[in-house]
Amino acid sequence: MKSTLLLGTRKGFIAYRFQNNKWILENCSFEGVPISIAYADPRNGTWWACQDHGHWGVKLQRSKDRGQTWEEVIAPAYPEGEEVKDGVPATTRYMWSMAHGGKNYSSRLWIGTDPGGLFVSEDEGNSFQLVESLWQHPTRKDGWFGGGRDLPGIHSIIVDPRNEDHIHIGISCAGVFETTDGGKSWAICNKGLRADFLPDPNQETGHDPHIVVAAPSNPDALWQQNHCGIFRSTDGARSWQEVSEAEGPARFGFAIAVADDNPDQAWVAPADSDVNRTAIKGALVICRTDDGGKTWKQLRNGLPQENCFDIVYRHALVSNGDAVVFGTTTGNLFFSPDRGEHWQVINNYLPMIYSVQFAE
Amino acid sequence: MALVKFTYALKRFFPKLTDTKAGGKTLKAVLAEIEASYPGVTRYVLDDQGRLRQHVNIFIDGVMIKDRASLSDPFHENSEIYIMQALSGG
């Protein structure tokens, strides 16, 4: 298990370190400032904080000394004159995902934003440019819309480690898009998904994948917790199959994590329907499948089972080896050393948790 | 010259920020002068398209500006321009 946890929370950037069999708070930066994504670049150890100042807009900070000092770099900005829709000027409203470009592109970073623009840096994050090919995609202005946020947003960026020009992204609401040429062109990968909230649930775009992840041990095995259920692909997102439980909690939710060493093992954090968005029957449950979604096991040992309202946001459930960690909307942080069989509390008194990441 | 004043909240990010005289004839010109003295500050006040951010206000001699998109509100040579934040959040 990696020994560091980075948290993006409503009230700051928080890092925990596992020492002497306990998670100890190592760093708290930007107290009071919402951090949409706390990200560690595994290539060089740089920490990134995507800030969402309520008044002053989004800001991007990086630290090369584990949060001791931070440097503000210029956040992704839309070129002059760009519009979300006709008459709606484009400005970066939120940074919703961050990914490194891979070993062969050691200076490359990706950031996904609301209102739907993907940005790339080729200079280690000193500057970011809008990926025009996606922004100009013919489906964008009429086929994408808000979901979770008021305008479309890119919350998932998956770089294929076998070919780092091969990237999937997840957009709410549009769906899954794929490039095989480093972002020059994009294909839609929504076959098999359902958008029950649309007049035509099988529409080409307008889907709401809350989060999309790929199995590290097999990047063609992708999973998504969608607004309309849990979906899995075994063919690199060319097609999706629903693997939700017909009777059972594993259906609606926001987060999904897949095991490092097993593309058939994944965890979800179910919530009570898109109408309520609370813990199911006042009890917190994580569900795990060990067979590619055919069956789901409820994992409750150590989690609150009454008077509980927590749900788990899309970037706040992660696994690493046998360890699984998730943070909740009411500031609870839980750790399992055994793939979810038993849970321990790391902290009950954190701010609302937006993102969790394992880091070295 | 107009006198530009700032909300204390901006001093968290720009500790040296202080009342500043500016000779520009338009708000955009004034902000460009401020940017030269405090690099980066206009990105806190204006969005990607140069509009006043939603939860930021500018008052000229006590009156809130009307043109938040292109910042064309007039002012006088001795005007006081106050950049403040809206009271929101939680």
Side-chain angles (χ1 to χ4, degrees):
Chain A
M1 178 186 77
K2 292 176 180 171
S3 60
T4 302
L5 283 172
L6 300 188
L7 309 182
T9 83
R10 183 168 160 74
K11 294 290 181 182
F13 177 109
I14 296 169
Y16 275 89
R17 191 137 199 206
F18 198 67
Q19 288 176 317
N20 301 323
N21 219 29
K22 278 169 58 177
W23 289 101
I24 310 292
L25 196 142
E26 176 189 349
N27 178 271
C28 178
S29 297
F30 312 115
E31 192 175 320
V33 178
I35 305 295
S36 54
I37 297 285
Y39 179 72
D41 186 337
R43 299 172 301 180
N44 51 27
T46 299
W47 288 3
W48 292 86
C50 297
Q51 301 180 319
D52 175 34
H53 287 284
H55 298 87
W56 314 114
V58 301
K59 301 288 176 273
L60 188 57
Q61 301 269 356
R62 71 180 167 201
S63 173
K64 296 182 177 178
D65 54 11
R66 296 183 69 86
Q68 295 301 303
T69 58
W70 292 87
E71 170 194 16
E72 185 180 332
V73 296
I74 296 176
Y78 286 78
E80 193 176 342
E82 292 297 340
E83 293 184 325
V84 184
K85 294 184 182 300
D86 293 344
V88 181
T91 192
T92 306
R93 291 154 41 95
Y94 201 68
M95 291 182 279
W96 216 6
S97 50
M98 189 159 188
H100 69 80
K103 288 180 184 157
N104 293 315
Y105 297 108
S106 57
S107 298
R108 181 180 286 176
L109 287 159
W110 301 94
I111 287 182
T113 70
D114 163 355
L118 179 67
F119 287 81
V120 64
S121 171
E122 300 288 1
D123 57 8
E124 300 180 355
N126 292 320
S127 64
F128 284 85
Q129 287 77 42
L130 179 66
V131 176
E132 291 282 348
S133 56
L134 183 68
W135 187 247
Q136 303 302 340
H137 197 277
T139 62
R140 186 182 65 79
K141 278 193 176 176
D142 296 323
W144 303 14
F145 49 88
R149 302 188 58 78
D150 290 345
L151 295 173
I154 299 174
H155 45 61
S156 303
I157 304 170
I158 304 160
V159 178
D160 186 339
R162 302 165 303 186
N163 168 11
E164 292 155 349
D165 287 324
H166 179 217
I167 298 157
H168 290 96
I169 59 170
I171 306 166
S172 290
C173 289
V176 179
F177 285 61
E178 176 189 45
T179 178
T180 55
D181 53 17
K184 294 187 184 74
S185 63
W186 296 87
I188 299 169
C189 299
N190 291 334
K191 191 178 169 192
L193 298 180
R194 275 191 347 270
D196 294 335
F197 47 84
L198 291 178
D200 174 8
N202 300 312
Q203 198 165 301
E204 188 180 30
T205 59
H207 293 271
D208 189 8
H210 287 169
I211 187 82
V212 187
V213 296
S217 58
N218 176 8
D220 287 332
L222 289 104
W223 293 78
Q224 63 172 280
Q225 173 65 72
N226 189 293
H227 194 90
C228 301
I230 304 162
F231 291 82
R232 176 181 185 242
S233 172
T234 55
D235 57 9
R238 279 186 285 280
S239 65
W240 295 92
Q241 294 81 43
E242 185 171 9
V243 293
S244 309
E245 283 186 301
E247 305 287 332
R251 172 167 290 273
F252 182 78
F254 293 93
I256 194 163
V258 56
D260 295 332
D261 54 359
N262 180 357
D264 291 332
Q265 186 174 58
W267 295 261
V268 292
D272 181 0
S273 77
D274 60 341
V275 177
N276 277 6
R277 303 181 187 215
T278 55
I280 298 170
K281 295 181 180 168
L284 200 49
V285 61
I286 297 294
C287 291
R288 188 187 74 217
T289 179
D290 300 326
D291 54 14
K294 292 188 187 77
T295 60
W296 294 89
K297 179 180 182 182
Q298 296 183 27
L299 308 166
R300 299 177 183 270
N301 195 338
L303 299 179
Q305 294 303 297
E306 58 182 5
N307 307 325
C308 170
F309 291 82
D310 303 50
I311 61 171
V312 182
Y313 278 158
R314 67 195 76 211
H315 299 113
L317 168 66
V318 290
S319 76
N320 181 239
D322 289 336
V324 186
V325 170
F326 69 95
T328 77
T329 48
T330 54
N332 294 309
L333 184 64
F334 293 100
F335 163 65
S336 169
D338 53 10
R339 300 196 185 227
E341 296 294 332
H342 302 86
W343 295 97
Q344 304 163 13
V345 172
I346 298 177
N347 193 338
N348 285 129
Y349 305 104
L350 290 167
M352 176 183 280
I353 297 168
Y354 297 135
S355 78
V356 180
Q357 186 196 358
F358 274 104
E360 298 292 349
Chain B
M1 295 177 94
L3 180 65
V4 186
K5 295 184 168 186
F6 303 89
T7 167
Y8 62 89
L10 270 171
K11 292 182 183 173
R12 175 172 182 178
F13 317 110
F14 301 92
K16 294 176 181 168
L17 201 59
T18 186
D19 295 359
T20 304
K21 292 262 189 187
K25 303 299 179 202
T26 64
L27 266 182
K28 276 190 178 173
V30 165
L31 287 171
E33 286 177 58
I34 300 297
E35 175 71 19
S37 303
Y38 307 100
V41 72
T42 52
R43 287 196 303 274
Y44 281 67
V45 176
L46 306 179
D47 71 13
D48 303 5
Q49 304 298 339
R51 301 173 306 169
L52 195 60
R53 290 193 181 278
Q54 186 179 1
H55 298 297
V56 178
N57 286 326
I58 296 180
F59 285 77
I60 295 173
D61 297 324
V63 178
M64 197 187 301
I65 66 166
K66 294 186 175 67
D67 181 7
R68 301 175 62 89
S70 50
L71 308 176
S72 63
D73 289 57
F75 54 89
H76 305 294
E77 187 162 334
N78 297 319
S79 285
E80 196 172 280
I81 298 169
Y82 190 54
I83 298 173
M84 65 170 290
Q85 62 179 342
L87 299 181
S88 59

